[in-house]
Amino acid sequence: MSPEKVNHLPESDTKLTLGLPGAGGECHRTKAGTKRGFLETVDLNLMSSSNDNKHCEENDAMASSKTPATKAQVVGWPPVRAYRKSAMKGSCKFVKVAVDGAPYLRKVDLEIYHSYQELLSALEDMFSFLTIRNHVNERKIIDNVNGVEYVPTYEDKDGDWMLVGDVPWKMFVESCKRVRLMKSSEAIGLAPRTPAKNSSKS
Amino acid sequence: MESESKRKKESPNTAELAVTASFPDEVLEIVLSLLTSHRDRSSVSLVCKDWYRAERWSRTQVFIGNCYSVSPEILTRRFPNIRSVTLKGKPRFSDFNLVPPNWGADIHAWLVAFAAKYPFLEELRLKRMAVSDESLEFLASNFPNFKLLSLLSCDGFSTDGLAAIATHCKNLTELDIQENGIEDSSGSWLSCFPESFTSLEVLNFANLTSEVNTDALERLVSRCKSLKVLKVNKSISLEQLQRLLVRAPQLEELGTGSFLQDLTARPYADLESAFNNCKNIHTLSGLWEAVPLYLPALYNSCANLTFLNLSYTALQSGEFAKLVVHCPRLRRLWVLDTVEDKGLEAVGSNCPLLEELRVFPADPFDEEIIHGVTEEGFVAVSFGCRRLHYVLYFCRQMTNAAVATIVQNCPNFTHFRLCIMTPGLPDYLTNEPMDEAFGAVVKTCSKLQRLSVSGLLTDLTFEYIGKYAKNLETLSVAFAGRSDRGMQCVLEGCPKLRKLEIRDCPFGNEALLSGLEKYESMRSLWMSACNVTMNACRRLAKQMPRLNVEVMKEDGSDDSQADKVYIYRTVAGPRRDAPPSVLTL
């Protein structure tokens, strides 16, 4: 496969995406408009662009015969049985966890933890570059490598972004839709420790 | 056996007559009744007319891999004494929604024939069949000796049908309901087992979701002293599970309910003690929503486990590693990819007897989630588990070098099913196609029976398969190949091929028609979203009258394209129950 198009980058190839090197590639994604909330404003590029382009090249060749546009549009692929899909959906409280600056999202089942401490420990496990330091009144989440501080936030049922830890644990589990570990520097817009919810989504 | 039959037919008649005279049919039947393998029996029936007769009278179990390959009439005519039937219906890709609804494979006509000819039927095992409540009621009322019902991946019935079985089948020993599209309206079916009913040995209702009456379940478990397999559903809590275990310490296979409950110290201790008391458990599954906190209750039971199914539990690597340390005798393991490579490394380090590994994706359709397992986990397992011969592995990246290492460590693969989840993905380190990976598999694993390929593949992969995979029986291909040549190599080169399923590949008419004679020696061929035309299918159908050629068209597709083709050998002729969406050519 000769990568003759490597030097001519169409606009879309310079767009920033999430993904492992060699995975999917721009030509497989129609991601515009599918992201939600804060992540829309955060652009991360972690793929080496030459890899990405080569792969796009090969896929374009294949696409001339048969390949679908995105994974999500292909019927019956990956070959996971319908029963397995619905059995897993039944699992109560899976929420996505994003960390600013990390290239991938994770999912946790909130139901299996009993306290904020347990949840944060689990996050420490999953995102191994983070450490949780317990201060007097609050916990801080710190990136081991560069000392960047994070604040755990979550999106609740009403679509508002709140600080994690403000409400009793069970209430949090019930209303949490997704979690984001936001860089402290960006968390200024969120009102800390007030019972009234923010109406803006900033 | 084939050559033996030829010799027999050509040998001098006097010697043969002398043998037959001193070997009455009844004796022959008794001898043949000891044969259980279906293949052996098929061979035996080809030896001569006497053996054919003796075999058909002595056969009590029949396995039909494609329900349309034969009709109920032909079956009951040939075999008068069947007690156990296994039937498989829809093509496997129906599991992934590729087959239109109401496609067929309805069990009812078979049951009607069995009621007339096999009133003493004892066992029925169905896979991918359409089963209605009416059929289950019919089954329950017409077969007084009925003992065993196993439904896997079937659809069309509800818990009402199960209630009929529970109510009427007085000799039932096994009720195994797995992974079906079942309409679960209520758990009251379980209460239909009469108080006098005590014969149950296997009860698996893990598939269902509604709550059952736990008192009724406890009483049932208490009085069925031979119960060996109990797999409950999610609605059963840990405390309820403990009460069941206490009543059935003889259990050998256990499927727990939800493992999520706030247990204080005393109930937790009771649970642990109940598990410890069940010294015969070798198979464990269920564990829905497993709270890592309570997994230690299982640790002692894990020492004897040979099969652990965690495929409905999203355990992280740390928790999983802690559990697997306690499972040194494990031979079969099913997990979710949430355990990641680190979890699989723990498997490699702790489970030297492992023979089968299945890693399922927790989030296969979510593009934002990119964790899971990689080639590293698989390689780690291969170093620690040299007896590995069955693998099903869903991953997001793979390399040729990793697969080469894996098969070098484990050359005894019989089933190698690798699913790289992005279609057409190359080796992520070298950017080359994954041809060499599957080349290594077929060159090294001479016993390979089943292969599923994925990733970016050229025709070279199929050249390798045709050249080396001489024991291959089942091949699944998706988004692969470059030209007709690929498919042709497989059809020409794999003498034992029985099932070939292909989707989204650039194989066309030339490839399809190159297998003309081959298809009669195979169970079936599935081709969808390839380049096959209606005309080619018609030609095939015309030239091969003992094949059924069925085409399913997609809405809005070109009239000349055969979007989905399903071809299978049959002695029953074209089927008459196809829905309008299925054209029989």
Side-chain angles (χ1 to χ4, degrees):
Chain A
M1 280 258 136
S2 58
E4 60 259 15
K5 287 196 189 149
V6 162
N7 292 325
H8 306 288
L9 304 177
E11 204 67 71
S12 58
D13 284 339
T14 56
K15 197 161 159 196
L16 305 174
T17 60
L18 299 172
L20 293 172
E26 252 326 302
C27 43
H28 268 290
R29 294 172 186 273
T30 51
K31 284 193 76 58
T34 57
K35 290 193 231 175
R36 296 272 171 277
F38 282 100
L39 292 179
E40 268 179 286
T41 64
V42 177
D43 288 335
L44 304 166
N45 177 17
L46 299 121
M47 297 193 290
S48 86
S49 46
S50 60
N51 261 352
D52 198 20
N53 294 331
K54 252 197 215 158
H55 181 61
C56 274
E57 166 59 51
E58 280 160 1
N59 276 308
D60 280 338
M62 271 189 64
S64 59
S65 53
K66 274 303 149 225
T67 37
T70 68
K71 234 190 327 183
Q73 291 173 9
V74 181
V75 174
W77 189 266
V80 174
R81 289 163 81 175
Y83 169 73
R84 189 165 280 286
K85 278 182 342 199
S86 58
M88 282 311 296
K89 267 203 194 105
S91 283
C92 296
K93 243 311 192 167
F94 272 102
V95 298
K96 292 185 188 177
V97 180
V99 176
D100 286 358
Y104 47 84
L105 300 187
R106 305 300 298 271
K107 257 189 180 173
V108 286
D109 182 356
L110 291 183
E111 292 261 342
I112 69 177
Y113 304 108
H114 295 82
S115 68
Y116 288 112
Q117 184 58 45
E118 273 182 37
L119 171 64
L120 292 177
S121 298
L123 294 183
E124 215 181 355
D125 250 348
M126 277 183 234
F127 297 98
S128 49
F129 56 90
L130 296 177
T131 318
I132 301 180
R133 306 244 176 86
N134 283 309
H135 283 216
V136 181
N137 272 338
E138 50 191 294
R139 287 171 219 104
K140 283 198 193 292
I141 305 176
I142 311 215
D143 183 328
N144 291 332
V145 177
N146 54 28
V148 173
E149 258 186 44
Y150 293 90
V151 165
T153 65
Y154 71 101
E155 184 183 3
D156 73 2
K157 280 196 283 212
D158 300 326
D160 297 322
W161 285 86
M162 318 280 287
L163 285 178
V164 165
D166 280 2
V167 301
W169 172 254
K170 285 218 153 53
M171 203 184 293
F172 163 73
V173 170
E174 222 234 300
S175 60
C176 174
K177 277 175 28 192
R178 57 193 301 157
V179 171
R180 174 183 169 192
L181 300 189
M182 197 188 298
K183 289 190 183 154
S184 287
S185 49
E186 289 182 33
I188 299 168
L190 288 175
R193 316 251 181 267
T194 51
K197 291 189 195 164
N198 287 336
S199 51
S200 72
K201 289 197 177 70
S202 58
Chain B
M1 275 282 179
E2 277 290 338
S3 53
E4 217 177 297
S5 81
K6 284 193 184 132
R7 260 186 284 131
K8 269 220 152 10
K9 282 179 181 148
E10 283 147 20
S11 67
N13 282 333
T14 41
E16 205 184 319
L17 278 172
V19 168
T20 336
S22 62
F23 210 52
D25 282 345
E26 298 83 42
V27 175
L28 186 56
E29 274 176 43
I30 291 175
V31 169
L32 294 183
S33 67
L34 299 172
L35 276 182
T36 45
S37 148
H38 297 291
R39 288 193 194 168
D40 285 346
R41 281 186 161 270
S42 292
S43 308
V44 155
S45 66
L46 293 172
V47 168
C48 65
K49 281 215 164 85
D50 283 343
W51 284 46
Y52 177 88
R53 254 201 319 270
E55 197 279 313
R56 65 182 270 262
W57 281 96
S58 68
R59 195 188 293 218
T60 57
Q61 293 178 42
V62 75
F63 168 88
I64 299 169
N66 173 5
C67 65
Y68 288 117
S69 63
V70 72
S71 71
E73 293 73 36
I74 296 174
L75 177 73
T76 53
R77 208 179 330 139
R78 178 170 170 188
F79 298 116
N81 285 326
I82 298 293
R83 312 252 155 170
S84 162
V85 175
T86 303
L87 268 170
K88 294 189 182 180
K90 300 181 205 176
R92 194 177 77 95
F93 279 177
S94 73
D95 284 350
F96 317 125
N97 300 326
L98 286 178
V99 168
N102 305 320
W103 180 85
D106 194 316
I107 189 60
H108 204 80
W110 292 89
L111 291 177
V112 169
F114 293 162
K117 306 287 183 169
Y118 304 145
F120 299 114
L121 188 70
E122 295 174 7
E123 303 181 354
L124 191 61
R125 293 177 174 85
L126 304 179
K127 185 170 185 180
R128 293 193 197 99
M129 299 288 295
V131 180
S132 66
D133 283 341
E134 194 195 8
S135 295
L136 290 176
E137 282 153 23
F138 185 87
L139 175 65
S141 317
N142 285 283
F143 301 92
N145 278 12
F146 195 69
K147 293 197 167 78
L148 183 154
L149 179 63
S150 169
L151 300 175
L152 173 56
S153 247
C154 298
D155 64 285
F157 63 103
S158 79
T159 42
D160 290 348
L162 297 183
I165 300 287
T167 307
H168 299 293
C169 297
K170 310 218 176 323
N171 295 312
L172 199 68
T173 58
E174 181 165 331
L175 182 60
D176 185 7
I177 310 294
Q178 278 190 66
E179 304 197 6
N180 300 291
I182 179 175
E183 200 193 295
D184 190 343
S185 44
S186 117
S188 58
W189 62 273
L190 190 97
S191 309
C192 293
F193 285 110
E195 290 299 319
S196 55
F197 172 76
T198 58
S199 49
L200 208 57
E201 296 170 23
V202 174
L203 178 62
N204 176 2
F205 64 96
N207 194 175
L208 304 174
T209 48
S210 351
E211 279 182 38
V212 297
N213 182 321
T214 50
D215 282 338
L217 178 58
E218 268 177 45
R219 287 198 308 274
L220 179 66
V221 166
S222 293
R223 64 180 187 268
C224 294
K225 306 286 183 207
S226 304
L227 192 69
K228 291 203 182 50
V229 176
L230 177 63
K231 296 181 184 176
V232 300
N233 71 1
K234 254 193 249 189
S235 77
I236 301 292
S237 71
L238 277 178
E239 281 195 75
Q240 287 160 354
L241 179 70
Q242 186 265 340
R243 296 165 62 83
L244 293 170
L245 291 180
V246 155
R247 285 159 175 74
Q250 76 282 4
L251 280 181
E252 295 175 16
E253 295 185 28
L254 174 67
T256 74
S258 169
F259 228 67
L260 170 86
Q261 184 172 355
D262 281 328
L263 288 183
T264 52
R266 178 67 197 279
Y268 175 83
D270 287 345
L271 179 69
E272 194 176 21
S273 145
F275 268 108
N276 291 348
N277 227 19
C278 293
K279 301 195 191 302
N280 297 326
I281 295 181
H282 57 69
T283 293
L284 186 62
S285 60
L287 296 165
W288 278 288
E289 300 146 353
V291 176
L293 201 59
Y294 302 139
L295 290 178
L298 299 172
Y299 285 173
N300 285 333
S301 302
C302 286
N304 291 324
L305 275 190
T306 56
F307 180 17
L308 180 58
N309 180 354
L310 294 173
S311 62
Y312 295 104
T313 320
L315 286 182
Q316 304 298 329
S317 55
E319 301 142 4
F320 172 68
K322 278 192 227 146
L323 177 64
V324 101
V325 159
H326 296 268
C327 309
R329 294 219 173 81
L330 222 49
R331 289 202 241 119
R332 300 173 65 195
L333 175 64
W334 295 18
V335 287
L336 284 180
D337 64 359
T338 50
V339 306
E340 300 193 332
D341 292 334
K342 266 205 251 148
L344 294 181
E345 279 161 30
V347 173
S349 306
N350 291 288
C351 308
L353 303 178
L354 198 70
E355 297 174 24
E356 174 180 328
L357 174 68
R358 302 196 196 198
V359 181
F360 296 94
D363 271 300
F365 307 104
D366 192 335
E367 289 183 21
E368 286 183 313
I369 305 292
I370 314 178
H371 57 83
V373 295
T374 71
E375 77 281 7
E376 287 182 21
F378 198 169
V379 169
V381 172
S382 76
F383 272 111
C385 310
R386 301 297 175 121
R387 298 189 196 188
L388 199 62
H389 69 84
Y390 189 122
V391 108
L392 169 61
Y393 200 80
F394 283 84
C395 57
R396 288 179 167 91
Q397 65 185 51
M398 188 51 63
T399 67
N400 289 307
V403 176
T405 304
I406 288 161
V407 295
Q408 195 173 42
N409 290 337
C410 305
N412 296 318
F413 274 111
T414 55
H415 297 68
F416 193 91
R417 303 165 63 187
L418 177 62
C419 182
I420 305 166
M421 288 192 274
T422 303
L425 198 67
D427 177 321
Y428 80 97
L429 286 180
T430 65
N431 252 336
E432 309 220 313
M434 294 298 296
D435 296 332
E436 294 308 316
F438 294 104
V441 172
V442 294
K443 283 177 202 167
T444 316
C445 306
S446 54
K447 299 186 207 148
L448 195 70
Q449 289 169 30
R450 182 170 179 182
L451 179 64
S452 299
V453 299
S454 58
L456 180 67
L457 299 175
T458 69
D459 288 342
L460 184 57
T461 295
F462 303 102
E463 283 175 35
Y464 285 143
I465 293 174
K467 187 165 176 199
Y468 295 101
K470 296 305 177 185
N471 283 316
L472 192 66
E473 298 178 16
T474 305
L475 177 63
S476 301
V477 185
F479 305 104
R482 290 277 159 82
S483 73
D484 283 337
R485 176 167 162 63
M487 186 171 161
Q488 278 170 297
C489 286
V490 170
L491 291 172
E492 281 160 29
C494 298
K496 296 202 183 166
L497 194 65
R498 291 187 304 121
K499 285 179 283 182
L500 180 56
E501 36 183 44
I502 302 174
R503 63 165 293 180
D504 295 273
C505 295
F507 302 142
N509 297 337
E510 205 179 311
L512 176 73
L513 294 171
S514 73
L516 269 191
E517 277 110 41
K518 179 86 174 175
Y519 303 136
E520 273 191 6
S521 68
M522 289 169 55
R523 183 187 294 176
S524 64
L525 166 69
W526 169 283
M527 280 179 85
S528 60
C530 296
N531 291 335
V532 169
T533 66
M534 292 295 292
N535 282 337
C537 292
R538 287 190 193 103
R539 262 177 66 193
L540 177 62
K542 194 159 175 203
Q543 283 186 257
M544 307 295 296
R546 283 187 302 228
L547 295 180
N548 277 356
V549 179
E550 297 179 9
V551 175
M552 291 152 269
K553 288 192 65 65
E554 306 266 285
D555 286 332
S557 80
D558 202 319
D559 277 344
S560 63
Q561 284 303 110
D563 307 310
K564 294 178 184 164
V565 182
Y566 184 51
I567 296 163
Y568 56 91
R569 68 177 173 190
T570 179
V571 294
R575 61 181 176 118
R576 276 157 291 173
D577 63 351
S581 53
V582 177
L583 307 166
T584 311
L585 299 181

